[in-house]
Amino acid sequence: MPHIDLPNLPGIRGPMSFRPETSRPLNQLAEVLLRGESTLSQAERELIATYVSSRNDCHYCQSIHGAIAAAHLGETKNSFGP
């Protein structure tokens, strides 16, 4: 079976480090969507990303976005991570 050797990094970070030239535009898109100018707050956008990640069944992304949303909301504890 074909495969590629990826660095042992959590979540999407391994595949993104494999091809930086393709991951750069994806990171720029995420930056605009999550932190660019918007009528939604960064916390609201992170909550949306948390929900989408849960629907995609991606625990890593759900945990990261949930923790960032909680930080934006000023919460010190959340139920998104270990």
Side-chain angles (χ1 to χ4, degrees), residues 13 17-19 24 28 34 36 38 44 52 57 62 65:
R13 292 177 63 205
S17 68
F18 175 71
R19 296 293 300 266
R24 194 169 297 109
Q28 290 170 338
L34 294 172
S38 175
E44 291 168 326
V52 170
D57 198 25
Q62 179 182 352
H65 288 297

Side-chain angles (χ1 to χ4, degrees), residues 42-54:
Q42 288 183 16
E44 291 168 326
R45 289 180 275 174
E46 289 290 350
L47 287 172
I48 292 167
T50 303
Y51 176 75
V52 170
S53 297
S54 73

Side-chain angles (χ1 to χ4, degrees), residues 8-35:
N8 187 18
L9 297 169
I12 196 168
R13 292 177 63 205
M16 285 191 147
S17 68
F18 175 71
R19 296 293 300 266
E21 71 277 13
T22 58
S23 64
R24 194 169 297 109
L26 293 173
N27 286 327
Q28 290 170 338
L29 175 63
E31 187 69 23
V32 168
L33 293 175
L34 294 172
R35 289 176 261 306

